[in-house]
Structures are given as structure tokens and as C-alpha cells.
């Protein structure tokens, strides 16, 4: 009994906390039932004539898949990205964008998440904070940054005279990845048209990228966050506008590495000075 309890505890810690059905399903038995038994060919149907050298040479070539068959593997993904671009571009307001995102079925993360986590705060704010993806608490409530990392972020806001009514908060990925894993590059690209359109519609004067994945998604940089942080970058919107971006450390990272908080503090002071210069 203790072994079962330990397994359940391990699953919960890994983020496996959402059952998909009332009872467990044995997937191996399903695979076995789908396999058709291999029947040997009747003896009378077997050919006794040896294949010609030409036929023997062409057999492997005939068995190999055509190049067009191999290239089709990327078509569904390209189609999802194209659909996301079309739906995002059709939204003229943030509310319309939220509705389009809720109706979009092209990202697999939607089917394992509990809620769409679109945004929080004031969409008219001059500054927008962008994270990577929702966590467990955010997934349950449908609001970004409300767990422990969100509480720390609120204190960081207050340290430079901001709060949730004076900022706009979103993520590059609006659905929680299972077990809080890192979103794949494909998942990020599928969601990219939506968060880029979200930035364009909110039209902030400044962007703050919380963590490496958000910084890379907004700036197309390749360096790690410890090299990126503290250095102003630029986000180029679809319409061609350039918005300054400050990459900084994610609050969740700061909870695990409290010694790094001094660097985040410097970044936030830099943001405060830049924001004051743009709004005065």
C-alpha cells in the first residue's frame, strides 16, 4: 500500500494530476487486439520461379517510400501555423483575439489543459510583462502568475511603483504544458501568431520578458537568459513597430535561486527609468 502511495505522490509532484477517464485503460491490450494475425501464404500460391536479377534489384527501390510521402510529415504542422496566423490576423480587439484563441484547436496543449490563460491586468498599460506558459495554479484559475511566482512578481511590481492595474501580463503559450514541461519549439511557433497579435493590439511602450523562453520568443535571440538579462533588445511587431524589450529572470527561477534576485532588481530599476522616460 505504501508503494502505491509513493507512486501517486510521485505523479502529483510531476504534475500528473488530471485524470482523463474514470477508470484506467490498458493500452497494451488495445494494441494487441488491433494486430491482425499473420497468415502464411498457401503452399500452392508460392512461386517456385526464382526472381530475375532485374526484379531483385528493383524490389528495395519499390519498397522505399516516395520522396513526396516523406515530406508530408510537416504538412499538418504548417497547416496549423497558417490557420493560427489567419485567425490571429482576423482579430481587431483583444477580446476577439481571446475568442479566436479559445476556438483554435491546432495546439495539442489545449486538450490537456483545464483553462485558457489569456491575460491579466490593464490592457491599456504602457508596459507588458510576458512569461513562458501557465503553471498549475494558473491553469486552474485561468489567470497568469497567481501562484508563488506570481506573488513574488507582485512584490517586484510594488518595488518599482507598479501593480496589476498598471501593467498587462500574458504568456507566449496560453495553455499549461503537462507536468509544467518546457513547450516544444513547434508549440511555440503554433502559438506565436496569437501572442504577437496580442502585443500588437495591446501596443505597449515597453515589454519585459520573464525568463529565457519568453526572451527568445520576443527577440529571436539565441543566448541564454543569464547573458540576455539586463540588456535592452527589440521586438519587431507584424506591422513593423519596434518595441524595447528587457529580458530578465523568471520569478520561478528566483524562488529557486534567491541570490539572483539582485540582478532582477537591477533589471526592474532599469525598466522603471526607461518607462519614466517614455511616459513623461
Amino acid at each position: 500500500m505504501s508503494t502505491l502511495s509513493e507512486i501517486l505522490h510521485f505523479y502529483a509532484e510531476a504534475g500528473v494530476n488530471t485524470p482523463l477517464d474514470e477508470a484506467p485503460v490498458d493500452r497494451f491490450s488495445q494494441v494487441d487486439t488491433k494486430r491482425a494475425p499473420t497468415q502464411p501464404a498457401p503452399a500452392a500460391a508460392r512461386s517456385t520461379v526464382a526472381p530475375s536479377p532485374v526484379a531483385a534489384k528493383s524490389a528495395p527501390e519499390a519498397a522505399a517510400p516516395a520522396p513526396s510521402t516523406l515530406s508530408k510529415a510537416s504538412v499538418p504542422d504548417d497547416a496549423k501555423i497558417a490557420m493560427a496566423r489567419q485567425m490571429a490576423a482576423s482579430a481587431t480587439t483583444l477580446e476577439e483575439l481571446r475568442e479566436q484563441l479559445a476556438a483554435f484547436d491546432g495546439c495539442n496543449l489545449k486538450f490537456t489543459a483545464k483553462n485558457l490563460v489569456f491575460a491579466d491586468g490593464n490592457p491599456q498599460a504602457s508596459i507588458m510583462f510576458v512569461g513562458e506558459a501557465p503553471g498549475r495554479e494558473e491553469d486552474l484559475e485561468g489567470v497568469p502568475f497567481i501562484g508563488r511566482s506570481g506573488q513574488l512578481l507582485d512584490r517586484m511590481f510594488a518595488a518599482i511603483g507598479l501593480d496589476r492595474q498598471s501593467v498587462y501580463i500574458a504568456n507566449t503559450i496560453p495553455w499549461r504544458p503537462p507536468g509544467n514541461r518546457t513547450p516544444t519549439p513547434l508549440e511555440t511557433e503554433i502559438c506565436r501568431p496569437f501572442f504577437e497579435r496580442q502585443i500588437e493590439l495591446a501596443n505597449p511602450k515597453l515589454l519585459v520578458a520573464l525568463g529565457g523562453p519568453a526572451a527568445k520568443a520576443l527577440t529571436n535571440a539565441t543566448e541564454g537568459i543569464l547573458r540576455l538579462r539586463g540588456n535592452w533588445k527589440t521586438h519587431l511587431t507584424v506591422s513593423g513597430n519596434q518595441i524595447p524589450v528587457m529580458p530578465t529572470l523568471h520569478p520561478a527561477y528566483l524562488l529557486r535561486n534567491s541570490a539572483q534576485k539582485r540582478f532582477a532588481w537591477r533589471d526592474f530599476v532599469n525598466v522603471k527609468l526607461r518607462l519614466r522616460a517614455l511616459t513623461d
Side-chain angles (χ1 to χ4, degrees):
M1 195 67 180
S2 59
T3 302
L4 177 59
S5 177
E6 292 172 358
I7 293 174
L8 292 176
H9 180 72
F10 171 77
Y11 283 159
E13 288 294 324
V16 184
N17 50 27
T18 304
L20 299 180
D21 207 342
E22 294 293 335
V25 179
D26 187 352
R27 304 294 180 187
F28 294 102
S29 63
Q30 291 182 349
V31 173
D32 292 337
T33 56
K34 290 181 180 179
R35 290 176 179 170
T38 304
Q39 298 292 338
R46 296 174 185 169
S47 173
T48 56
V49 180
S52 66
V54 175
K57 181 180 180 180
S58 61
E61 298 176 358
S68 59
T69 303
L70 295 175
S71 63
K72 287 181 180 178
S74 62
V75 172
D77 299 333
D78 293 341
K80 292 175 185 176
I81 296 173
M83 183 189 304
R85 288 176 183 154
Q86 182 180 3
M87 295 178 70
S90 67
T92 58
T93 66
L94 288 169
E95 185 57 35
E96 288 182 6
L97 183 65
R98 183 189 184 105
E99 293 173 356
Q100 292 283 31
L101 193 52
F104 180 64
D105 291 335
C107 183
N108 59 295
L109 296 177
K110 177 180 180 179
F111 303 103
T112 56
K114 289 184 177 295
N115 285 298
L116 168 69
V117 182
F118 184 69
D120 192 25
N122 180 7
Q124 305 300 322
S126 298
I127 184 169
M128 180 174 178
F129 290 78
V130 182
E132 177 188 1
R136 181 176 181 274
E137 292 83 0
E138 291 79 9
D139 182 41
L140 292 173
E141 299 296 331
V143 180
F145 288 96
I146 59 170
R148 289 184 63 219
S149 61
Q151 295 168 11
L152 175 57
L153 183 61
D154 288 341
R155 295 195 294 271
M156 295 165 73
F157 289 159
I160 59 171
L162 299 175
D163 55 28
R164 294 213 175 211
Q165 284 67 50
S166 57
V167 302
Y168 188 53
I169 311 171
N171 284 306
T172 58
I173 304 292
W175 295 287
R176 179 199 181 199
N180 290 348
R181 65 166 173 77
T182 302
T184 66
L186 176 59
E187 290 164 349
T188 301
E189 289 307 306
I190 289 175
C191 295
R192 179 180 293 277
F194 291 104
F195 72 75
E196 287 188 342
R197 184 61 174 159
Q198 189 173 9
I199 293 171
E200 195 166 37
L201 291 172
N203 194 27
K205 296 182 183 297
L206 283 181
L207 286 165
V208 178
L210 300 170
K216 292 178 181 179
L218 293 179
T219 67
N220 295 319
T222 57
E223 301 94 335
I225 189 58
L226 295 180
R227 286 184 176 272
L228 285 174
R229 61 140 298 272
N231 300 296
W232 286 103
K233 302 293 182 181
T234 301
H235 173 71
L236 184 64
T237 66
V238 177
S239 59
N241 294 331
Q242 294 186 355
I243 304 176
V245 181
M246 170 57 74
T248 190
L249 304 172
H250 195 284
Y253 174 81
L254 297 176
L255 289 172
R256 301 190 301 269
N257 302 273
S258 59
Q260 303 292 327
K261 289 181 180 180
R262 65 184 187 275
F263 297 117
W265 166 245
R266 295 174 190 174
D267 299 340
F268 268 60
V269 171
N270 201 346
V271 167
K272 178 181 180 179
L273 296 175
R274 185 69 174 266
L275 182 63
R276 181 182 297 172
L278 290 174
T279 54
D280 286 348

